[in-house]
Amino acid sequence: MKFLIKKLSHIFLIIYLSLFFISCEKEFDTVIDVQKPSFQVVSVSPKDSVLFNVEDSSLVLKIEFTPTSTINTVTTEIINPAGKSFLNDALTLYDNGKSENGDQTANDKIFSNKIFMKSNDLNGNYNIKFFVNDNSNSNKLAAWSTFKFRNGQSNVAPVISNALVDPDTAVVTDTIPILTSLVVQDDNGLNDIKEVYFIVYRPDGSTNNNKVFLYDDGNLTRYGDQTAGDGIFSRIISINQTNEKGTYRFEFRAVDRGGLQSNIINYPVLIQ
C-alpha cells in the first residue's frame, strides 16, 4: 500500500511538473510570438547634399525594398532644419511607374515621389522618416534619412540692434525679474536665424560662457516675448541677493544657419 501511494505520488509529481512546464512554455511562446515585419529595406534617398536648381527644383524621395517584401502603402514625414514639418501632411510614395511621382518602374518594390524645393527654403539638414503599412495593417517606421539643402542664395550675416535690459540697474533685496530683448534682422529671412543669445560677464570679467537664449515665439509667459516672428527676441531672467554686486556685461550675439555671426552688442548691468 505504501509502495502504491509512493508510486502514485511519483506519477502525480511527473504529471504536475509536465503541466507546469507546458504552462510555462505557453506563456513564453506568447511573449515571443510577435509578428515580424514583412518587409526589408534595401536603400533610401536622398542622403547627400542637395543644391537648389532654378531649372528643376524637384527632389525625388525614394525607398527600395527587397523583392519579397509585402507593402501596402509608404508615407514620409519631413522635418526642416528649424525642427518643423516641411509639408502640411504626410507624403505618399508610389510604385506606379509614373514620372510625375519620380517612379521609373511599376511594381519593382521601389517607392518614390517628388517634392519641390524653393530658393527661400531653409539651408541645413532635412530629416526624412519613411513609414510602411504592411500586411499587419499598421504603420511602422521603416527607415530614415538626412539630406543637406543649400538654397543657392548668398548668405548674409544677421544684424542685431536695440538691445535692452530692463531694469539695467537694480538694488537687490529679493528676486527681481529682468527682461532682455534684441532686434534681429537677416537679409536671408528670420527663418535663417539659428540662435540669438547673450553671455554674462561678471564684475571681475570672468564668465562661464553659458549662452542665455532669446526667443521670438510669442510665448509671453515663459520667455517674455510678445509677438512671434516680429524679429524681436526676448528672454526673462532673474537675479537675487546671492548675485555678486557690481557691473556685469551682457554680450549679445546672433548666428545664422550658415554659421555667420552678427555684430556684438555689449550692455552694462549694475547690481547693487
Side-chain angles (χ1 to χ4, degrees), residues 82-147:
K84 299 179 180 179
S85 177
F86 180 65
L87 304 174
N88 292 329
D89 204 351
L91 178 72
T92 300
L93 306 190
Y94 299 94
D95 184 15
N96 56 11
K98 294 183 178 181
S99 59
E100 59 261 36
N101 299 128
D103 194 60
Q104 296 181 350
T105 306
N107 303 317
D108 62 353
K109 293 298 190 297
I110 301 176
F111 290 73
S112 312
N113 207 346
K114 292 181 179 180
I115 59 174
F116 294 88
M117 308 299 295
K118 300 184 293 296
S119 60
N120 60 351
D121 285 331
L122 294 181
N123 287 321
N125 292 329
Y126 287 71
N127 295 312
I128 313 170
K129 292 182 179 181
F130 296 85
F131 295 91
V132 170
N133 185 293
D134 63 359
N135 58 3
S136 66
N137 200 32
S138 61
N139 289 324
K140 300 181 177 70
L141 177 61
W144 59 89
S145 180
T146 300
F147 68 92

Side-chain angles (χ1 to χ4, degrees), residues 164-198:
L164 174 68
V165 180
D166 185 25
D168 57 14
T169 301
V171 177
V172 181
T173 58
D174 200 354
T175 300
I176 298 176
I178 293 180
L179 173 64
T180 64
S181 67
L182 190 68
V183 175
V184 182
Q185 295 174 304
D186 193 313
D187 287 348
N188 300 114
L190 285 177
N191 282 333
D192 191 46
I193 298 298
K194 181 181 180 182
E195 56 187 26
V196 178
Y197 63 92
F198 62 83

Side-chain angles (χ1 to χ4, degrees), residues 56-90:
D56 183 8
S57 65
S58 64
L59 179 64
V60 177
L61 308 185
K62 185 182 299 184
I63 182 169
E64 180 181 357
F65 300 92
T66 57
T68 57
S69 296
T70 302
I71 309 293
N72 292 330
T73 58
V74 179
T75 57
T76 64
E77 293 179 2
I78 306 174
I79 305 299
N80 72 9
K84 299 179 180 179
S85 177
F86 180 65
L87 304 174
N88 292 329
D89 204 351

Side-chain angles (χ1 to χ4, degrees), residues 3-261:
F3 174 78
L4 180 60
I5 294 174
K6 185 177 181 180
K7 186 174 182 180
L8 288 173
S9 299
H10 180 69
I11 293 173
F12 175 76
L13 180 61
I14 293 174
I15 294 173
Y16 174 78
L17 289 175
S18 298
L19 289 173
F20 175 77
F21 284 120
I22 290 172
S23 176
C24 288
E25 184 179 1
K26 186 175 182 181
E27 283 190 44
F28 186 72
D29 287 344
T30 302
V31 172
I32 67 170
D33 187 19
V34 178
Q35 190 172 15
K36 297 179 180 179
S38 60
F39 59 85
Q40 184 175 350
V41 177
V42 175
S43 65
V44 296
S45 65
K47 54 184 178 181
D48 300 310
S49 294
V50 176
L51 180 64
F52 175 74
N53 187 336
V54 177
E55 296 180 357
D56 183 8
S57 65
S58 64
L59 179 64
V60 177
L61 308 185
K62 185 182 299 184
I63 182 169
E64 180 181 357
F65 300 92
T66 57
T68 57
S69 296
T70 302
I71 309 293
N72 292 330
T73 58
V74 179
T75 57
T76 64
E77 293 179 2
I78 306 174
I79 305 299
N80 72 9
K84 299 179 180 179
S85 177
F86 180 65
L87 304 174
N88 292 329
D89 204 351
L91 178 72
T92 300
L93 306 190
Y94 299 94
D95 184 15
N96 56 11
K98 294 183 178 181
S99 59
E100 59 261 36
N101 299 128
D103 194 60
Q104 296 181 350
T105 306
N107 303 317
D108 62 353
K109 293 298 190 297
I110 301 176
F111 290 73
S112 312
N113 207 346
K114 292 181 179 180
I115 59 174
F116 294 88
M117 308 299 295
K118 300 184 293 296
S119 60
N120 60 351
D121 285 331
L122 294 181
N123 287 321
N125 292 329
Y126 287 71
N127 295 312
I128 313 170
K129 292 182 179 181
F130 296 85
F131 295 91
V132 170
N133 185 293
D134 63 359
N135 58 3
S136 66
N137 200 32
S138 61
N139 289 324
K140 300 181 177 70
L141 177 61
W144 59 89
S145 180
T146 300
F147 68 92
K148 186 173 184 178
F149 178 67
R150 300 297 300 173
N151 60 23
Q153 295 185 15
S154 297
N155 194 22
V156 180
V159 176
I160 61 174
S161 61
N162 298 343
L164 174 68
V165 180
D166 185 25
D168 57 14
T169 301
V171 177
V172 181
T173 58
D174 200 354
T175 300
I176 298 176
I178 293 180
L179 173 64
T180 64
S181 67
L182 190 68
V183 175
V184 182
Q185 295 174 304
D186 193 313
D187 287 348
N188 300 114
L190 285 177
N191 282 333
D192 191 46
I193 298 298
K194 181 181 180 182
E195 56 187 26
V196 178
Y197 63 92
F198 62 83
I199 294 175
V200 177
Y201 290 81
R202 303 181 186 92
D204 63 2
S206 64
T207 180
N208 56 17
N209 284 315
N210 286 343
K211 297 178 180 179
V212 181
F213 293 102
L214 287 75
Y215 298 90
D216 184 18
D217 60 358
N219 193 328
L220 183 62
T221 303
R222 185 173 184 183
Y223 297 121
D225 189 64
Q226 294 187 359
T227 306
D230 63 354
I232 301 176
F233 289 72
S234 309
R235 180 69 180 264
I236 293 177
I237 62 172
S238 62
I239 59 174
N240 57 42
Q241 57 269 35
T242 64
N243 287 101
E244 181 183 350
K245 304 303 184 289
T247 300
Y248 289 72
R249 176 166 62 92
F250 285 29
E251 184 181 275
F252 290 88
R253 296 173 180 259
V255 181
D256 69 13
R257 298 187 187 282
L260 295 183
Q261 296 196 1

